[in-house]
Amino acid sequence: MPDVTFKPTHRAGAKERRRRAEALDRHRADTRVKRLAATDEVGYLREQLRLAARLTGELAGESDVADMAQLVVAELHETFAFYLAAIQRLDEDGVLRLIAARGPLAEVMAEFLLTEQPASAGVNGRVASSGATVLVSDTRIDPDYIVRDPATDPRSELAVAVFVDGSVWGVLNIEAAEPGALREADVVLVEAIAASFGVAVHRAKLVSDLEGAFTTALAALTSTVEAKDDYTACHGEDVALLAERVALRMALSGVQARDVRYAAMLHDLGKVAVPSEILLKPGPLTDEEWVTMRSHAAIGGELVGRIEAFAHLSPAVRASHERWDGGGYPDGLAGEQIPLEARIIAACDTYDAIVTDRPYRPARTPVEACAELSRVAGTQLDGRVVAAVIEELDVLGGSARRAAA
């Protein structure tokens, strides 16, 4: 048997050793471990192929990298009962940081904050530096393995680089309690999953970049309004942020909620066609001036509809000043004839207008604004939306109070 060399600088303390022993006992008692040990090679290969195909499909439906990482390690652990399945992200400062882990050993790592290591150390560091897969049949004889407790450390390890756009993004790592427990078939599986994960991360980055460009374009459009009315520009941003949160509270999807935010950013775009002397008038508007002012909703909807990337937001922009009772403009829509996105924008718009100083009146308090929303619920505004707005404002108010405490 080869000489065994341990690195004393990484030894675990007594409490951690106890927790690791308990985790190892739970792992060995897991019926899935015993079942998989008794599975023949063909059966094991079938399980691997099913998992690889399933994960590829599931990753295609995800957009959040943290959720993707959790999905990968959860599926690996649930299917093959690995002692540890983990993903580390390689940061710009040369540190591998744990972003997702499952398995009995993962619980110990979380408890003792074993979540970072330099990319210059350990088996995973070797993979991050070289980009080459490493299969360790016995960790006790690997010169790079970082020992914490010889009695309970995993005895075999497989580490695979995750590549994103041609560069090492991180490491996908699985570990087993017994020596020789990981085989070449596991290498094929984990490399395939790492490749799928890398593609999904790259796709998420591209989508994020596209959304950033989309938001920049929206900001450029709304800046044309800002040039005429500073209030409208700041007001639109505040309304947009609140509207997105309310949309999520009302169980709209993330994509739908983003569309609500975008439409809210654009809902006053038509004011570029309103003369400044009307837009900035410090006193009440005449009936004729109100006709001109109210034309901005239809104009805004038309302008947005002309831009292919934003055209789907046009109905919400046009209807953002309609009233639940049918007394709004430009089309006199009532009730659920008004798109839900527009009803959300209208309620958030009303709240923000009340709590903002205007040339002709001072701002009122959030409590007074919520009371006013409740008063007009069912007439001017959708009562269900008003309830969601007030609930969201309660959450935001509680967060602000806690931050100030």
Side-chain angles (χ1 to χ4, degrees), residues 248-271:
L248 291 171
R249 179 170 290 276
M250 296 187 72
L252 273 67
S253 70
V255 172
Q256 290 171 313
R258 283 195 297 274
D259 278 348
V260 171
R261 173 162 62 92
Y262 296 151
M265 290 175 67
L266 292 167
H267 82 283
D268 278 332
L269 179 63
K271 287 184 178 179

Side-chain angles (χ1 to χ4, degrees), residues 30-244:
D30 190 331
T31 56
R32 293 175 304 160
V33 175
K34 298 175 182 177
R35 177 182 62 80
L36 287 164
T39 302
D40 61 32
E41 187 173 350
V42 173
Y44 191 77
L45 180 58
R46 285 174 178 161
E47 288 285 349
Q48 289 181 315
L49 292 173
R50 290 192 193 102
L51 174 59
R54 185 167 68 248
L55 261 178
T56 298
E58 291 173 339
L59 286 171
E62 295 288 342
S63 59
D64 183 83
V65 174
D67 290 343
M68 292 179 197
Q70 292 291 348
L71 174 64
V72 168
V73 297
E75 287 279 16
L76 281 167
H77 174 64
E78 292 303 320
T79 305
F80 293 107
F82 292 123
Y83 191 34
L84 174 69
I87 292 177
Q88 292 175 309
R89 171 73 187 271
L90 179 61
D91 288 350
E92 292 181 359
D93 55 2
V95 174
L96 284 166
R97 288 187 169 85
L98 187 70
I99 63 170
R102 287 292 293 272
L105 187 55
E107 299 166 17
V108 178
M109 294 170 69
E111 181 178 356
F112 293 94
L113 303 179
L114 305 176
T115 58
E116 296 182 2
Q117 72 173 82
S120 58
V123 174
N124 288 353
R126 190 162 92 215
V127 171
S129 299
S130 68
T133 296
V134 172
L135 174 61
V136 179
S137 296
D138 190 347
T139 58
R140 290 189 178 182
I141 60 175
D142 187 279
D144 290 323
Y145 186 79
I146 300 174
V147 176
R148 291 200 66 82
D149 177 29
T152 59
D153 277 343
R155 292 296 304 276
S156 51
E157 178 176 8
L158 170 60
V160 174
V162 175
F163 288 91
V164 174
D165 198 21
S167 299
V168 175
W169 178 92
V171 176
L172 172 55
N173 174 64
I174 59 174
E175 302 188 17
E178 312 302 336
L182 301 174
R183 298 166 281 183
E184 288 297 330
D186 294 304
V187 174
V188 175
L189 169 70
V190 177
E191 286 183 339
I193 291 174
S196 294
F197 177 67
V199 169
V201 171
H202 189 214
R203 185 191 67 246
K205 182 180 182 301
L206 293 177
V207 170
S208 178
D209 290 346
L210 182 61
E211 288 182 350
F214 190 85
T215 303
T216 299
L218 287 179
L221 284 174
T222 56
S223 67
T224 61
V225 181
E226 181 179 3
K228 295 188 69 173
D229 184 4
D230 289 339
Y231 161 77
T232 297
C234 298
H235 168 73
E237 183 178 347
D238 292 340
V239 171
L241 293 173
L242 178 58
E244 182 177 27

Side-chain angles (χ1 to χ4, degrees), residues 15 28 101 103 272 294 301 355 382:
K15 183 178 180 181
R28 286 175 170 161
V272 296
R294 288 172 175 167
V355 298
D382 180 349

Side-chain angles (χ1 to χ4, degrees), residues 272-297:
V272 296
V274 177
S276 296
E277 58 268 24
I278 294 177
L279 190 63
L280 303 177
K281 186 175 180 179
L285 301 180
T286 66
D287 290 345
E288 184 178 344
E289 288 170 337
W290 266 119
V291 170
T292 302
M293 176 66 83
R294 288 172 175 167
S295 69
H296 84 269

